[in-house]
Amino acid sequence: MSDIVLETRGLTKRYGGVHALEDADFILRAGEHVAVVGDNGAGKSTFVRQVTAVEQKTSGQIFFDGREVEFADPLAAREAGIETVFQTLALADDLDVPSNLFLGRELFKWRFGPFSWLDRKAMRDRTLEALKTTAVKIPNVDNPIRNMSGGQRQCVSIARTAAFASKLVIMDEPTAALGVQETAQVENIIRGLKERGIPMILISHNLRQVFDLVDRIVVFRRGRIVASLNRDETDGNDIVSYITGVKGGADVADA
Amino acid sequence: MAQTTHGLGGLKYDPTKRTRAAEWNVFFALLLIVFIFEVLNRLNGSSFLFNMRDNVDAIFNKQRLDIMILQVAITGIIAIGVTQVIILGGIDLSSGSLVGATAMIVMSFAQTALVNGNPNPKAIFGDWAMDLPVIVPIVVGMGCGVLAGVVNGLLIAYTRIPPFIATLGMMVTARGVARWWSNGQPVSFPTESYSHLSNGDILGTLTFGALPWPGQNPAVVFVVLAILFHVLMTRTVYGKRSYAIGSNEAAARMSGINVDRHKVLVYTIAGCLAAVAAILLTSKNLTAQAGMGVMYELDAIAMAVIGGISLSGGRGSILGTVLGAMIFSTIISGFTSIRLDAYYQEMVKGAIIVAAVVLDQWRQRQRARG
């Protein structure tokens, strides 16, 4: 079973009495792109937050890269190789593009604790390189990103993820606030990840996008995983039936 | 595509253009203010920039410049720390009171035993604390700064109370300490070496007499600290983290920056800078009084604000604050040069602080509209 990148067993999260995520068994294989879909409040984001340790799970197990993991915080998850694009942009508006790309993992000329000297040229060069491979066009990377469009900012966020992606990429609604052109650009980055063989979990409301991009679709409903379907063996109506509970209701009771 | 339209309300901007550094606007404002005072002076037949006395026309008035730098040096040192705290997204109201408390405590360890052959009339401690080497009061003073800064930082980082409240508490407490220390009595008569800290000529000594600048040590320290922290804020990860936290604390946290530890560090540095100011101030004045440093924190904040800082954090610079301090002292010197009453000075100072922010916001909206 060495080709399994991420596996969760019985992953559960409760906020007080609210069962946000219940007994989620999930498997992601090497090179696989999986979409997570479901209605608002179905537990998609909660699921991601447990895997990336933004929150601590109530119970269950997470296996990543062949061993069980207990990440203390998002940084630990990131250091293990999980790169995440969060729904709310994790960008610092007043910093330029290189500073945002390298936020928390700066390159140094020499190290002296909190006063370590930044290697600004190396960071800038690698930023331009990363933007080139992701085909993102940012006219001037030295400007603070405050003045950039929503699409450009999202592209910076995704370029950061793609540039540092090692073992797993998770994207939570990456195109939710974007225009048509910008969405296409993000989708191109995702296809680039597929070509590089980097596995991905994509949370999306956009079924057209989901069918375009991923291999498998996992449906969440009311905190539970109600279906896991290969893209070629299902269609939009089928997925919507699971999302709304027309299908799969009986299975849930047993699971 | 030179111009793009995007986002809410179709805001326009030219993405290829590098945004001009905000400090330039502050610099132009400084030049404008100098120009205005020069004109106002010329109307009376005198000059702001040049020494017109004894009919020696057009000799640059170095004395005025010296006074201008010296009178903002002490508050300017505080403003360097306050600037870093505000960039971090915080505020420090305690620096003025901290100057007062540190001044009293430091001076008690800097006293000399004999004043004109008589025992020191203001002695706080016994003989053991008299004529100590100058390093002792310096270490004690820095210790006060570190202590107050660490307490500020820990309160803000770990109890999550707003910086305004935490440093307001410190402001009141430190002023209390300053008054309690000697029951409100001034602490005076420092040793020769202590008074030399401010009144000596460090620049002249370091340049082997090439650049004598006696009595201007606070100004030298101010300039050195300004350059040091300008470099730290722009070239090292210390500044990068400060800007990141002030800009988006959640993002900084998610990126793995130890936000709480960094906050403690920045508030500690601010405390140390207030302590440096206290040492230089007492050395300059040869005495410490419980009321020292009143309103310094607000002057420091005002300098930062005039220098283009954003009180919501993430934006601003040491250079801007230094320029803000220069505007501050230009206004004071300028009004003195045209013999305007001190009361008017305060009023105009207030108006200029507000005008600086209004202009800055107006400029930003203009830039957003393109």
Side-chain angles (χ1 to χ4, degrees):
Chain A
M1 298 289 276
S2 62
D3 72 327
I4 293 181
V5 176
L6 178 78
E7 181 177 1
T8 69
R9 286 186 202 153
L11 192 61
T12 299
K13 178 68 182 178
R14 298 194 185 95
Y15 303 102
V18 180
H19 297 209
L21 187 65
E22 196 66 31
D23 211 13
D25 296 335
F26 180 92
I27 284 179
L28 182 73
R29 295 195 161 76
E32 193 179 26
H33 279 196
V34 169
V36 169
V37 298
D39 213 344
N40 289 331
K44 312 183 297 285
S45 291
T46 307
F47 174 73
V48 168
R49 285 200 294 269
Q50 311 315 306
V51 171
T52 54
V54 170
E55 294 170 354
Q56 291 301 321
K57 61 188 189 291
T58 307
S59 63
Q61 292 170 293
I62 301 173
F63 299 85
F64 179 65
D65 206 19
R67 61 194 171 84
E68 186 170 1
V69 288
E70 293 270 359
F71 298 128
D73 51 44
L75 182 64
R78 201 173 71 176
E79 277 168 354
I82 301 179
E83 283 291 331
T84 313
V85 177
F86 289 99
Q87 205 167 355
T88 48
L89 289 175
L91 297 173
D93 276 349
D94 298 297
L95 300 184
D96 57 15
V97 177
S99 303
N100 266 296
L101 235 67
F102 285 91
L103 195 58
R105 51 189 151 199
E106 290 83 0
L107 304 176
F108 298 115
K109 277 214 176 97
W110 42 265
R111 289 182 158 274
F112 189 66
F115 303 110
S116 299
W117 202 266
L118 296 166
D119 191 346
R120 296 197 300 180
K121 190 179 179 301
M123 289 197 281
R124 194 176 185 279
D125 291 347
R126 281 188 54 183
T127 299
L128 294 176
E129 219 171 278
L131 291 177
K132 207 185 282 172
T133 59
T134 52
V136 174
K137 284 194 184 63
I138 306 282
N140 190 337
V141 296
D142 301 321
N143 278 342
I145 61 166
R146 178 182 296 286
N147 297 332
M148 293 178 187
S149 72
Q152 287 173 323
R153 288 148 56 87
Q154 184 65 290
C155 284
V156 169
S157 186
I158 290 170
R160 169 165 74 178
T161 305
F164 289 99
S166 46
K167 291 170 181 163
L168 170 60
V169 169
I170 301 177
M171 294 194 191
D172 191 352
E173 303 273 8
T175 60
L178 302 188
V180 176
Q181 222 180 340
E182 294 157 346
T183 300
Q185 209 164 40
V186 170
E187 288 172 355
N188 274 332
I189 298 176
I190 293 174
R191 289 193 189 93
L193 289 174
K194 180 76 187 170
E195 278 164 26
R196 285 158 65 191
I198 295 167
M200 182 189 69
I201 300 172
L202 171 72
I203 299 182
S204 181
H205 272 114
N206 183 337
L207 285 186
R208 193 272 311 157
Q209 183 177 63
V210 163
F211 275 93
D212 267 6
L213 292 174
V214 304
D215 310 307
R216 191 155 58 85
I217 299 161
V218 171
V219 184
F220 276 65
R221 179 172 159 72
R222 293 187 174 170
R224 289 172 182 276
I225 294 177
V226 291
S228 168
L229 308 155
N230 287 326
R231 179 188 61 182
D232 302 332
E233 296 161 10
T234 181
D235 57 36
N237 286 334
D238 198 29
I239 298 291
V240 170
S241 309
Y242 279 108
I243 291 174
T244 53
V246 175
K247 270 189 185 178
D251 306 335
V252 172
D254 300 337
Chain B
M1 45 167 232
Q3 276 222 333
T4 55
T5 312
H6 67 78
L8 297 164
L11 295 174
K12 264 190 275 173
Y13 79 109
D14 184 349
T16 54
K17 221 164 59 184
R18 179 122 173 53
T19 39
R20 184 174 46 151
E23 286 79 9
W24 280 109
N25 295 23
V26 187
F27 182 65
F28 292 139
L30 176 62
L31 291 184
L32 180 70
I33 291 168
V34 169
F35 178 75
I36 289 171
F37 280 124
E38 184 64 28
V39 169
L40 289 175
N41 269 291
R42 291 280 167 159
L43 294 178
N44 297 332
S46 58
S47 168
F48 182 64
L49 289 173
F50 303 105
N51 199 337
M52 309 279 271
R53 250 176 290 169
D54 304 320
N55 295 331
V56 189
D57 202 3
I59 290 179
F60 184 68
N61 194 339
K62 180 173 176 296
Q63 195 188 3
R64 168 118 58 212
L65 186 69
D66 284 357
I67 294 170
M68 279 173 56
I69 295 177
L70 187 61
Q71 71 191 1
V72 289
I74 305 273
T75 353
I77 290 169
I78 297 170
I80 293 171
V82 168
T83 299
Q84 296 172 50
V85 167
I86 296 177
I87 287 173
L88 187 74
I91 192 83
D92 189 357
L93 298 176
S94 68
S95 42
S97 296
L98 187 54
V99 166
T102 309
M104 300 297 280
I105 295 169
V106 164
M107 202 60 173
S108 311
F109 291 92
Q111 289 183 301
T112 187
L114 294 172
V115 182
N116 298 328
N118 301 314
N120 189 331
K122 298 288 185 191
I124 295 295
F125 297 124
D127 286 342
W128 63 268
M130 293 299 151
D131 291 317
L132 294 170
V134 71
I135 188 71
V136 175
I138 292 177
V139 169
V140 169
M142 296 315 288
C144 295
V146 169
L147 180 71
V150 166
V151 170
N152 274 340
L154 289 176
L155 278 174
I156 289 156
Y158 295 101
T159 69
R160 301 285 156 95
I161 57 175
F164 188 95
I165 303 298
T167 59
L168 181 69
M170 180 59 74
M171 171 184 170
V172 176
T173 308
R175 188 60 68 195
V177 169
R179 300 219 169 90
W180 160 80
W181 185 256
S182 62
N183 292 319
Q185 294 299 307
V187 187
S188 308
F189 305 115
T191 58
E192 184 90 354
S193 50
Y194 189 77
S195 76
H196 252 77
L197 289 177
S198 276
N199 300 309
D201 182 7
I202 188 165
L203 190 65
T205 312
L206 289 179
T207 56
F208 303 104
L211 287 169
W213 211 22
Q216 290 281 355
N217 284 359
V220 176
V221 173
F222 171 51
V223 171
V224 168
L225 286 174
I227 293 171
L228 171 70
F229 281 101
H230 175 76
V231 170
L232 287 181
M233 289 302 281
T234 53
R235 293 290 192 274
T236 74
V237 72
Y238 170 79
K240 198 60 80 184
R241 284 178 187 161
S242 299
Y243 282 103
I245 293 169
S247 188
N248 186 343
E249 188 171 332
R253 224 174 264 281
M254 234 184 272
S255 305
I257 294 172
N258 192 332
V259 172
D260 297 330
R261 207 173 57 192
H262 192 76
K263 280 184 177 173
V264 175
L265 178 64
V266 174
Y267 279 96
T268 304
I269 285 175
C272 286
L273 287 166
V276 170
I279 292 169
L280 292 171
L281 185 63
T282 49
S283 168
K284 184 89 202 151
N285 293 358
L286 307 177
T287 183
Q289 286 165 359
M292 267 179 166
V294 169
M295 293 281 279
Y296 278 23
E297 65 281 343
L298 296 183
D299 279 350
I301 293 169
M303 288 175 185
V305 166
I306 292 174
I309 211 165
S310 159
L311 282 180
S312 49
R315 208 163 56 83
S317 70
I318 302 289
L319 180 62
T321 298
V322 170
L323 289 169
M326 288 312 295
I327 288 185
F328 218 74
S329 78
T330 305
I331 291 165
I332 299 170
S333 291
F335 281 134
T336 312
S337 74
I338 58 171
R339 299 190 176 75
L340 194 74
D341 220 48
Y343 307 121
Y344 295 113
Q345 295 186 20
E346 298 277 305
M347 294 183 216
V348 176
K349 236 161 71 179
I352 283 174
I353 293 166
V354 176
V357 178
V358 172
L359 273 174
D360 187 50
Q361 295 200 340
W362 177 76
R363 187 178 66 85
Q364 279 187 53
R365 273 200 299 274
Q366 287 296 306
R367 197 172 64 195
R369 285 204 197 101

